[in-house]
């Protein structure tokens, strides 16, 4: 079974955290790191490919 959350990590400041897919925008949308405010596509914050798949499946 898939977990009901995805794990994120910021590629710039390395902050890691978890969120539920419904609280996140689509993977191709710009997302701002809550710690360092880096702007990148949300897909770049996914910690693993599995997290990206979970995001796509549950959104
Ligand atoms: Zn950051």
């Amino acid at each position: 079974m898939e977990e009901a959350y995805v794990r994120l990590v910021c590629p710039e400041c390395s902050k890691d955290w978890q969120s539920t897919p419904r609280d996140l925008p689509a993977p191709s949308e710009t997302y701002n790191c809550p710690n360092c405010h880096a702007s990148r596509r949300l897909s770049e914050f996914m910690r693993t490919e599995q997290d990206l798949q979970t995001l796509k499946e549950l959104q």
Side-chain angles (χ1 to χ4, degrees):
M1 293 293 291
E2 300 289 343
E3 299 281 3
Y5 62 86
V6 294
R7 297 169 300 158
L8 301 95
V9 60
C10 176
E12 295 202 12
C13 72
S14 298
K15 171 185 171 66
D16 57 64
W17 73 103
Q18 297 174 355
S19 187
T20 52
R22 72 185 61 190
D23 291 330
L24 295 167
S28 60
E29 290 194 20
T30 301
Y31 189 74
N32 295 310
C33 171
N35 185 51
C36 75
H37 304 291
S39 290
R40 290 169 178 261
R41 288 183 303 152
L42 179 61
S43 59
E44 296 186 47
F45 287 89
M46 294 292 104
R47 202 177 302 181
T48 67
E49 190 66 24
Q50 183 62 57
D51 293 297
L52 181 59
Q53 288 305 316
T54 300
L55 176 68
K56 290 177 177 175
E57 289 168 14
L58 297 183
Q59 267 186 333

